[in-house]
Amino acid sequence: MNLIEKEGWVRLAQESDVAEGTAIAVKFEDREIALYHVEGGGFYATENICTHEYAQLSEGWLEGYEIECPLHAGRFDLRSGKALCAPVEEDVKTYEVRLAGGWVYIRSPD
Ligand code: FES
């Protein structure tokens, strides 16, 4: 376990695993997490499952800091998890992200 992991951060993926402007799905324990690489804007992580129905946000369309759900086109702001338009009403959970040594870490979920 390295120092970062001792501080409660979880190694999720390599930075190079996520091309700019795309997202990937990562399993962590029993959670499904979407990891986004915003063009010119860094990395963000949210729960991968939409708060409306069952759809993977990592399969949606990433535009700037917004992810559009592939099922009914609800949108969330990656920085806050805020639901931005119908039909989504409930915000999506976000995770703190940190980069170190070419790896992307998230704050260990409680
Ligand atoms: S499942 Fe995401 S908007 Fe409906």
Side-chain angles (χ1 to χ4, degrees):
M1 186 180 273
N2 64 31
L3 193 59
I4 291 173
E5 288 165 329
K6 278 189 189 140
E7 290 171 358
W9 294 86
V10 175
R11 188 187 277 194
L12 207 59
Q14 289 196 287
E15 285 183 44
S16 57
D17 290 340
V18 201
E20 261 192 282
T22 69
I24 61 168
V26 186
K27 284 236 187 237
F28 170 69
E29 294 176 346
D30 60 343
R31 290 165 195 261
E32 296 186 47
I33 293 167
L35 179 61
Y36 311 89
H37 188 174
V38 172
E39 242 177 303
F43 289 81
Y44 292 84
T46 68
E47 290 283 340
N48 198 16
I49 307 306
C50 186
T51 58
H52 178 233
E53 285 180 16
Y54 189 88
Q56 293 193 320
L57 295 177
S58 59
E59 300 290 317
W61 292 272
L62 181 60
E63 207 178 316
Y65 293 99
E66 294 180 14
I67 184 71
E68 182 176 306
C69 177
L71 200 52
H72 307 111
R75 283 186 286 114
F76 298 94
D77 187 314
L78 304 178
R79 296 165 292 189
S80 61
K82 197 144 197 55
L84 297 174
C85 69
V88 291
E89 294 177 345
E90 193 184 324
D91 298 348
V92 70
K93 180 175 171 50
T94 59
Y95 295 94
E96 238 183 299
V97 170
R98 179 172 171 178
L99 305 178
W103 289 89
V104 184
Y105 292 82
I106 60 165
R107 178 70 80 182
S108 182
D110 22 290

